[in-house]
Amino acid sequence: MSTMKIKKGDTVKVIAGKDAGAEGKVLSVDVKNHKVLVEGINMITKHAKPSQANPNGGIAQKEAPIDISNVMLVFNGKATRVGFKMDGDKKVRFAKATGEVIDKK
């Protein structure tokens, strides 16, 4: 299995779909289905039946997953493609637009 280019906590820009141009923070990554959950992006309406946890039920807004191919990593305020290279004995992500290493630890 290949390494994902987008990770939890990254800031991404939506490049396709109804939210194109919007930016948000990645809340989770679904590696198996190639989907990401982005804060405030692809909002859907969920109708909840009354339950013990939520006695009133009602209508709730929540994020739905978006395909990973429709988002682009934002690094230093600029959307960029992501590549991998070896930094010593460690595999790191780098921004193709600038060549800078993204994963500095």
Side-chain angles (χ1 to χ4, degrees):
M1 179 139 229
S2 64
T3 309
M4 298 299 276
K5 295 181 177 185
I6 305 290
K7 293 184 179 181
K8 181 179 175 179
D10 286 345
T11 301
V12 292
K13 182 175 187 174
V14 180
I15 57 172
K18 67 178 184 180
D19 292 316
E23 290 186 15
K25 185 177 172 186
V26 175
L27 301 174
S28 68
V29 179
D30 184 358
V31 178
K32 186 176 178 185
N33 297 317
H34 299 284
K35 303 266 186 191
V36 289
L37 202 63
V38 184
E39 191 175 38
I41 305 295
N42 198 24
M43 298 299 284
I44 60 168
T45 304
K46 292 290 276 186
H47 296 263
K49 286 173 67 173
S51 64
Q52 280 192 326
N54 184 9
N56 293 332
I59 300 171
Q61 291 279 94
K62 64 179 276 185
E63 294 96 354
I66 185 170
D67 198 270
I68 203 159
S69 65
N70 293 337
V71 297
M72 207 171 191
L73 182 73
V74 174
F75 184 66
N76 290 342
K78 185 177 180 184
T80 180
R81 290 181 295 155
V82 179
F84 291 99
K85 65 181 177 182
M86 295 303 290
D87 187 21
D89 60 341
K90 190 172 182 185
K91 184 178 178 182
V92 294
R93 298 183 300 163
F94 74 98
K96 290 201 172 184
T98 60
E100 292 181 65
V101 175
I102 297 166
D103 300 321
K104 294 179 183 172
K105 290 185 179 164

